[in-house]
Amino acid sequence: MSKIYFASDFHLGSSFMDPLSTRERTIIQWLDEIKIDASEIYLVGDIFDFWFEYKNTIPKGHTRFLGKIAELTDLGIKIHFFVGNHDLWMNDYLTVELGVQIHKEPLVVTHGNGHFFITHGDGKGPEDKKYKFLKRIFENRFCQWLFRWLHPDIGIWIANKASRSSRLANPETSQFLGKDKEWLLLYAVRKSEQHPAIDFFIFGHRHYPLSILLPNKRSRYINLGDWMQYFTYGVWDGTHFELHSYNNTIDPKNHTYDSLYS
């Protein structure tokens, strides 16, 4: 039986977390295992800690990972890349070279009897106003053109330094914050009212795995966690969606809330 897999927030290339690329090898091992029954794989943003496509240059590294993605697409497995706040400067390089599909906007898609709303999640929800302002600058074509004129050694150094500073200043919260403080959950609740046919609202960005039944008792909010601490991913078998933990890093049941809105 073919399955559909979801994962996010690999942050490949983060020297702060992964100086020896051990996580990259773990991710490749996971991809190698799931290729047996995967029909599609959704990588829901921040796959790279930094990604910027200069005219003739991309950030070095990730060779084994990119090679594995090429192998999977050659096997006929559809690969979807969603841009996140760390890799939102993706253009067509990965599509041309690897055959992946790039998504810069939320995607609504149907698989079997399941209806999915998929997006990384940055800039969503009622807060995060500072980032929403910065994102408009990052996405501005003129600002991107100016940045492209920096030598890659300088531009990538600046980006890596900013990424490290951001991570130190805003460490991920390794706990559920409650239904009134989880911004992406609030966003999913509002979207479920607008789109009642959606079964699963799937996000990355939060770095904390969550599976929450929404107030309509039909839709479910899913956060895929990350591959920096939790090594979690989602699986859709055509009937059921489940969170899994690679190498049993966590018990997904402890991150599932079915009576939060009872």
Side-chain angles (χ1 to χ4, degrees):
M1 179 183 296
S2 62
K3 298 178 181 178
I4 298 172
Y5 290 84
F6 304 79
S8 73
D9 293 273
F10 294 167
H11 286 271
L12 291 172
S14 172
S15 58
F16 176 56
M17 290 293 298
D18 187 25
L20 299 177
S21 299
T22 53
R23 287 185 302 109
E24 181 179 17
R25 293 178 185 273
T26 302
I27 291 164
I28 291 169
Q29 180 178 321
W30 171 69
L31 290 170
D32 204 46
E33 292 175 7
I34 68 173
K35 70 181 182 183
I36 297 172
D37 59 7
S39 61
E40 297 191 41
I41 301 173
Y42 289 84
L43 301 179
V44 190
D46 282 2
I47 301 308
F48 306 103
D49 201 55
F50 172 71
W51 183 271
F52 189 90
E53 294 180 22
Y54 294 86
K55 184 177 181 180
N56 296 301
T57 304
I58 59 170
K60 73 176 183 179
H62 329 303
T63 304
R64 293 179 178 84
F65 172 74
L66 295 175
K68 178 57 65 175
I69 294 298
E71 175 191 337
L72 297 180
T73 57
D74 286 346
L75 290 173
I77 300 172
K78 295 181 180 179
I79 309 289
H80 302 263
F81 270 65
F82 287 74
V83 300
N85 47 301
H86 280 255
D87 48 19
L88 56 83
W89 300 280
M90 287 186 185
N91 291 316
D92 65 350
Y93 175 82
L94 297 177
T95 300
V96 172
E97 294 294 327
L98 306 180
V100 306
Q101 297 182 39
I102 304 295
H103 302 282
K104 297 188 176 183
E105 299 294 336
L107 177 68
V108 176
V109 63
T110 298
H111 291 292
N113 61 356
H115 306 283
F116 298 81
F117 178 100
I118 310 168
T119 186
H120 180 62
D122 58 305
K124 307 301 183 186
E127 299 296 336
D128 220 0
K129 296 179 181 178
K130 179 180 179 181
Y131 173 71
K132 290 177 181 178
F133 172 75
L134 291 174
K135 187 175 182 180
R136 287 197 293 269
I137 297 176
F138 295 153
E139 292 180 330
N140 183 274
R141 290 186 178 274
F142 178 70
C143 292
Q144 292 178 17
W145 178 82
L146 288 176
F147 187 85
R148 189 171 283 113
W149 279 99
L150 291 174
H151 189 283
D153 287 350
I154 298 174
I156 294 173
W157 177 83
I158 292 173
N160 287 335
K161 186 176 180 60
S163 176
R164 178 182 173 89
S165 299
S166 175
R167 203 180 308 286
L168 290 172
N170 300 288
E172 301 301 335
T173 303
S174 298
Q175 62 181 355
F176 176 54
L177 300 177
K179 63 183 181 181
D180 297 324
K181 293 184 179 180
E182 290 282 352
W183 298 347
L184 292 179
L185 174 59
L186 295 174
Y187 176 80
V189 170
R190 178 165 59 85
K191 284 294 182 181
S192 69
E193 296 170 352
Q194 300 171 353
H195 305 282
I198 299 294
D199 299 294
F200 301 99
F201 293 87
I202 297 181
F203 302 85
H205 189 56
R206 170 68 169 85
H207 285 238
Y208 188 70
L210 287 166
S211 175
I212 299 175
L213 189 64
L214 297 182
N216 62 13
K217 303 300 181 183
R218 180 182 184 280
S219 307
R220 185 171 288 274
Y221 162 77
I222 301 290
N223 197 284
L224 296 168
D226 66 15
W227 284 68
M228 304 176 78
Q229 179 178 357
Y230 297 105
F231 296 84
T232 44
Y233 61 97
V235 184
W236 171 251
D237 65 5
T239 304
H240 301 97
F241 185 98
E242 294 181 344
L243 274 178
H244 289 258
S245 174
Y246 194 65
N247 290 340
N248 299 315
T249 312
I250 66 162
D251 183 354
K253 293 181 181 178
N254 295 332
H255 295 255
T256 300
Y257 298 83
D258 286 345
S259 58
L260 191 65
Y261 293 96
S262 59

